[in-house]
Amino acid sequence: MNIYQLNNQEIKREMKAFHKTVYGKTTLLLSFCVPVITLIILLVILCSSVCAPCVLWFLFLPMMLLFLLLLISFVMGSIHYYNKLETYIQLQGKKK
């Protein structure tokens, strides 16, 4: 089965089937744990800077670096997850 020939509903069905496997759950967790942790840290810094606005100037550069890390890790995690999903769909097509 070729992933490029699937429509949206078929891809969603395959994603659900992939997520039901232990490897699919582990891949999802490992792909997106860094972006989620980075987002939590960024939100904590933003909330703490609201309480003490004078600290915001000192945290500007770290916040921008965290935001950049968030974007890069989300893109890399998505690439990793969808690469493994493509491999799963190809292997499922060979079985049928």
Side-chain angles (χ1 to χ4, degrees):
M1 186 181 324
N2 189 355
I3 193 170
Y4 301 108
Q5 296 173 345
L6 301 177
N7 60 25
N8 287 341
Q9 293 173 344
E10 293 170 336
I11 289 177
K12 287 179 184 178
R13 185 182 67 235
E14 293 296 328
M15 284 177 74
K16 287 180 184 176
F18 180 58
H19 185 67
K20 289 180 183 177
T21 65
V22 174
Y23 185 71
K25 290 177 185 177
T26 305
T27 301
L28 182 70
L29 178 71
L30 292 177
S31 296
F32 294 109
C33 69
V34 173
V36 169
I37 291 170
T38 305
L39 180 64
I40 291 170
I41 292 170
L42 187 61
L43 289 175
V44 166
I45 291 174
L46 283 173
C47 289
S48 67
S49 68
V50 169
C51 297
C54 60
V55 179
L56 183 62
W57 293 107
F58 296 112
L59 296 176
F60 183 73
L61 183 61
M63 284 189 334
M64 290 298 115
L65 291 175
L66 277 173
F67 184 72
L68 184 64
L69 175 66
L70 176 67
L71 290 176
I72 291 171
S73 62
F74 181 74
V75 169
M76 295 300 292
S78 296
I79 289 170
H80 178 258
Y81 180 75
Y82 285 106
N83 186 14
K84 297 300 181 180
L85 177 65
E86 180 181 9
T87 305
Y88 175 78
I89 290 173
Q90 288 174 352
L91 290 174
Q92 291 298 97
K94 289 180 182 178
K95 288 182 182 179
K96 293 180 182 179

